[in-house]
Amino acid sequence: MEEKPQDVTTPISSNSQRVFPPLYKPTGDKSSDRLAFIHILEKLKTQKRTGWVNHNIPGPESISDHMYRMAMLAMCSSDTNLDITKCVMMCLVHDLAEAHVGDIAPREGIPKAEKSRREAEAMHNFVHDMLHSSPAALRIEALWQEYEAGQTAEAKFVKDLDRFEMASQAFEYERDHGAETLQPFFDTSLPMIRHPEVRSWGEDLSQERENFQSSSRASLPGPGPV
C-alpha cells in the first residue's frame, strides 16, 4: 500500500522552515513516469547548496555543480585498487535524493534519522515509481545505498571527495569573493579525510589557503603616521 505523503505544511521541527513537496504519484505509463524523473533532475541544476546560501555567497554553486566536480576528482585518482568507474557514478548519484528533499543543512534542526528517512523515501520514489524498477534504476539505487552505508572502499573514497570538494569550494569563495572566513567548512571536512591521496590534496589546499591568507595580510595598508 502506498504511504500517504506527509502534509507539506507540517513543520518538521521547531527550528526548521523547510517544507517538502509530496512524492510523485506514478501514472503507470513508463514514458510519462520516466519524463517526470528527467524533469526532477533539473532541480539539482537550479537548487543552490544551503551552506553557501546561509553565508550570503553571491551566485553559489548548485547541487549538481558539486557532484560534477566530485566526479572529475574521482577520475583524477591514481588509486588502482578502486573501481573508478563505480566511484564516478557514485559521485553523480550520492546527492540525487536532494532533487526532491533539497540540501538539508544541520542548522535547520531536522533530525538525522528524519533526513535519512526522507531521502530514502525520495530514492524509492525515483527508482520504483518513476523509473519502474528498470535495471538502470536499480543500479542507481544500489550505488546510492552503497554510498549511504559507507562500508566499501569506493563509498569511503567518494565521501572523502565530498569533503575535499566542499573545502575547495570554501577556499575559492574566500579567495574570489572576499568572503568572510569560512573556517567551519574546513574544520568539518579536511580533518575527516582518510584516503591517503585525497588527504594529500587536502594538505596542498591548506597550504594554498595559508599562502593566500599570508599574501592578503601583507598587502593590507599599514598604520598611518602617528
Side-chain angles (χ1 to χ4, degrees):
M1 183 173 66
E2 184 177 348
E3 183 179 353
K4 182 179 179 181
Q6 183 171 340
D7 183 346
V8 298
T9 63
T10 302
I12 304 304
S13 77
S14 59
N15 298 326
S16 178
Q17 299 300 312
R18 186 180 292 272
V19 294
F20 297 92
L23 295 169
Y24 175 76
K25 293 184 178 180
T27 66
D29 178 77
K30 288 186 177 181
S31 296
S32 295
D33 293 340
R34 181 171 55 245
L35 283 173
F37 176 74
I38 291 169
H39 292 317
I40 202 170
L41 292 177
E42 187 210 13
K43 295 185 181 299
L44 297 173
K45 298 169 61 178
T46 58
Q47 290 191 68
K48 306 303 183 182
R49 298 251 285 166
T50 303
W52 310 130
V53 173
N54 290 343
H55 280 76
N56 301 311
I57 299 297
E61 66 169 347
S62 69
I63 298 166
S64 61
D65 290 335
H66 166 65
M67 294 195 291
Y68 173 77
R69 182 155 62 173
M70 281 179 61
M72 291 300 300
L73 290 172
M75 293 178 69
C76 290
S77 176
S78 60
D79 190 340
T80 57
N81 294 315
L82 293 171
D83 182 341
I84 295 298
T85 299
K86 175 189 276 193
C87 292
V88 170
M89 291 191 293
M90 195 178 292
C91 288
L92 294 173
V93 305
H94 84 287
D95 279 342
L96 178 57
E98 293 181 10
H100 179 76
V101 304
D103 180 24
I104 300 172
R107 70 191 304 177
E108 294 182 63
I110 297 175
K112 186 175 181 179
E114 175 66 8
K115 176 178 181 292
S116 296
R117 184 189 72 80
R118 286 186 173 275
E119 290 178 347
E121 191 176 60
M123 288 299 297
H124 186 277
N125 194 224
F126 297 162
V127 169
H128 300 288
D129 295 332
M130 295 182 179
L131 296 177
H132 290 237
S133 309
S134 68
L138 295 176
R139 181 170 63 244
I140 290 170
E141 183 179 49
L143 286 163
W144 182 81
Q145 290 175 341
E146 181 176 341
Y147 175 79
E148 287 293 302
Q151 297 300 311
T152 65
E154 286 76 15
K156 292 175 182 177
F157 173 69
V158 171
K159 183 61 181 178
D160 280 345
L161 293 182
D162 184 41
R163 294 167 173 138
F164 174 75
E165 201 287 325
M166 182 178 73
S168 299
Q169 188 65 75
F171 168 64
E172 289 154 2
Y173 286 147
E174 288 181 341
R175 180 195 66 195
D176 299 339
H177 297 301
E180 64 181 48
T181 179
L182 297 172
Q183 188 61 42
F185 292 92
F186 298 93
D187 294 340
T188 58
S189 58
L190 296 183
M192 284 67 175
I193 294 174
R194 296 293 176 262
H195 187 274
E197 185 175 34
V198 185
R199 188 166 62 243
S200 73
W201 297 351
E203 291 166 356
D204 292 342
L205 179 69
S206 293
Q207 185 61 58
E208 183 183 31
R209 183 178 183 234
E210 183 178 328
N211 293 343
F212 172 76
Q213 291 174 334
S214 296
S215 175
S216 298
R217 287 193 294 269
S219 65
L220 291 175
V226 178

